[in-house]
Amino acid sequence: MESLEVGKILGEGVGEVQEYIDVCDYAVGLSRMFAGHVFPSERKGHALLEQWNPLGVVGVITAFNFPVAVYGWNSAIAMVCGNCMLWKGAPSTPLTSVAITKTLMAKDERLPLVSFTGSTQVGHKVSMMVQERFGKFLLELGGNNAIIVNEDADLDMVVRASVFACAGTAGQRCTTTRRLILHKSVYDEVVSRLVKAYGQLRIGDPCEADTLYGPLHSTAAVEAYKNAIEEAIKQGGKVECGGKVIDRPGNFVEPTIISGLSHDAKIVQTETFVPIVYILKFEVLDEAIRWNNEVKQGLSSSIFTKDLGNIFQWIGPKGSDCGIINVNIPTNGAEIGGAFGGEKHTGGGRESGSDAWKQYMRRSTITINYSKELPLAQGIKFE
């Protein structure tokens, strides 16, 4: 069903359903571990506690590209936190998402939290509506993600990782790699090997088990693909491979590699939700990290290197500014147990693992006086 509606290949669709199953398992275990705290009170005869309680009803708005898993992340955890759910799936995936498509959740004060997954532009509108009524919002928006390939990287791993990161799901993941930032010493070899690997991708019906690359989701996505390639060429880009709409039924386009653009070219700074990756060349690692961080989004990022110093620079305060920071793996493919989301225009929200459950609850700080005295905090006297 998901392959028919989204165009996602069968293996990825099955994996997405498995992800919902996995997050349900995770949430069941989590339900036994919600922890408040007991703090020492500065006042004699007092107890200071912290407790988490359900919000009530949580609204979830999801995008077309993950119509099962993203709802799963939100619903499983929100429900074990004691909340009820109201879901609006993407209008283009009704068979998969059973959407409630006409509810203005963002303005409804009965929903303390609205979780939105989708584009930065729409997420901004949703957040403003929710904020106007002092509601809570959880945003997981776009990403202009980069892989940095240092001079000491294992290039076999780089090529294998990059093909899936750039072309998997036909470029329609929020964590898809949009920019490959290559050290000048490995630039030519990586580009040559990637072009060869792209030529071996099995393109076809996403419902067939051996297909690795399916169609785009809609005709609008095909137009976005064509416009992005036209703009890239206007701005000085060179199409290394791909660049054309495939002449066959369906929204099929060629996975595309474009070189020759500056790191700050307008099209490189723009997230286009299609299978186009821009190749950039750097000389020193500080420069590459700066380029990684200069885009407005801050979702996922990766570096390929064997140097421990580079790794700890990358994950530290002067490294990647993204919510997801990877080493020697691609930008896409997240595990259930880690909080998923990003910074800046990606929205700042976190879904799934770690302490993301806290967003689906309200925090109460509780003071209990079990004495017969009324001392004030900070030793204040009011007598």
Side-chain angles (χ1 to χ4, degrees):
M1 193 179 290
E2 188 173 345
S3 294
L4 288 171
E5 287 197 308
V6 178
K8 183 174 290 189
I9 64 171
L10 193 62
E12 287 194 71
V14 171
E16 188 177 340
V17 173
Q18 184 63 50
E19 190 167 353
Y20 195 171
I21 295 167
D22 291 347
V23 80
C24 286
D25 286 342
Y26 174 84
V28 169
L30 186 67
S31 69
R32 296 286 188 259
M33 296 187 292
F34 296 130
H37 293 90
V38 178
F39 303 105
S41 174
E42 66 182 71
R43 289 175 281 184
K44 183 180 178 181
H46 286 58
L48 186 61
L49 316 173
E50 185 177 87
Q51 182 166 313
W52 296 85
N53 293 302
L55 291 172
V57 186
V58 172
V60 179
I61 306 171
T62 58
F64 78 87
N65 61 327
F66 279 85
V68 176
V70 173
Y71 176 64
W73 296 344
N74 284 280
S75 65
I77 295 176
M79 285 192 283
V80 299
C81 288
N83 300 295
C84 297
M85 303 293 297
L86 181 61
W87 178 26
K88 180 186 180 301
S92 58
T93 57
L95 295 176
T96 307
S97 59
V98 194
I100 302 170
T101 58
K102 296 183 180 179
T103 304
L104 292 173
M105 288 187 276
K107 293 186 176 181
D108 196 326
E109 293 191 359
R110 292 174 297 175
L111 300 175
L113 169 69
V114 174
S115 173
F116 175 82
T117 300
S119 71
T120 298
Q121 293 80 5
V122 177
H124 181 260
K125 293 177 182 178
V126 170
S127 68
M128 294 300 289
M129 289 184 204
V130 176
Q131 197 167 33
E132 281 178 1
R133 60 175 176 86
F134 293 97
K136 295 175 67 175
F137 54 83
L138 194 169
L139 302 177
E140 201 284 286
L141 309 176
N144 193 344
N145 314 297
I147 292 177
I148 295 174
V149 180
N150 203 43
E151 58 188 323
D152 62 337
D154 182 324
L155 299 191
D156 290 335
M157 290 178 64
V158 167
V159 173
R160 291 202 309 272
S162 298
V163 172
F164 178 59
C166 301
T169 326
Q172 297 171 118
R173 289 176 178 244
C174 55
T175 51
T176 292
T177 298
R178 313 284 176 198
R179 299 172 295 148
L180 266 177
I181 305 174
L182 309 177
H183 189 272
K184 63 180 182 178
S185 65
V186 300
Y187 181 93
D188 291 338
E189 184 177 352
V190 172
V191 172
S192 173
R193 292 176 65 173
L194 273 179
V195 169
K196 183 179 178 181
Y198 267 44
Q200 297 171 349
L201 280 173
R202 296 188 297 276
I203 300 173
D205 184 341
C207 294
E208 294 178 359
D210 62 346
T211 298
L212 291 178
Y213 179 92
L216 291 176
H217 180 59
S218 64
T219 54
V222 175
E223 288 303 309
Y225 170 87
K226 289 159 62 177
N227 292 339
I229 289 171
E230 184 180 335
E231 280 301 311
I233 292 170
K234 279 183 185 177
Q235 294 173 33
K238 174 188 174 185
V239 177
E240 297 284 350
C241 73
K244 298 184 180 65
V245 176
I246 299 173
D247 186 15
R248 61 176 292 170
N251 302 314
F252 286 88
V253 301
E254 295 176 341
T256 301
I257 299 171
I258 295 179
S259 65
L261 289 165
S262 169
H263 65 95
D264 57 356
K266 186 176 180 181
I267 192 65
V268 175
Q269 295 284 308
T270 303
E271 180 198 17
T272 307
F273 213 62
V274 294
I276 299 174
V277 63
Y278 303 106
I279 311 289
L280 309 174
K281 185 188 294 185
F282 76 92
E283 295 188 5
V284 295
L285 184 58
D286 285 349
E287 178 181 48
I289 294 174
R290 195 162 60 246
W291 295 355
N292 175 79
N293 294 348
E294 71 183 0
V295 298
K296 290 185 177 180
Q297 301 88 348
L299 179 52
S300 188
S301 57
S302 181
I303 190 172
F304 279 78
T305 181
K306 299 171 187 172
D307 186 293
L308 279 176
N310 293 338
I311 291 170
F312 281 97
Q313 179 181 353
W314 175 242
I315 67 175
K318 294 186 177 180
S320 171
D321 65 358
C322 295
I324 298 170
I325 303 174
N326 293 335
V327 178
N328 295 328
I329 59 170
T331 56
N332 54 0
E335 294 189 25
I336 298 299
F340 182 89
E343 301 300 322
K344 302 188 296 188
H345 284 211
T346 302
R350 294 296 188 275
E351 296 170 323
S352 192
S354 186
D355 63 350
W357 61 269
K358 292 180 178 179
Q359 295 166 112
Y360 301 92
M361 304 187 87
R362 58 179 176 83
R363 184 199 306 246
S364 302
T365 300
I366 304 159
T367 306
I368 300 172
N369 181 1
Y370 56 88
S371 72
K372 294 183 178 181
E373 304 296 328
L374 281 171
L376 298 175
Q378 290 82 50
I380 294 172
K381 301 293 183 183
F382 193 76
E383 297 174 351

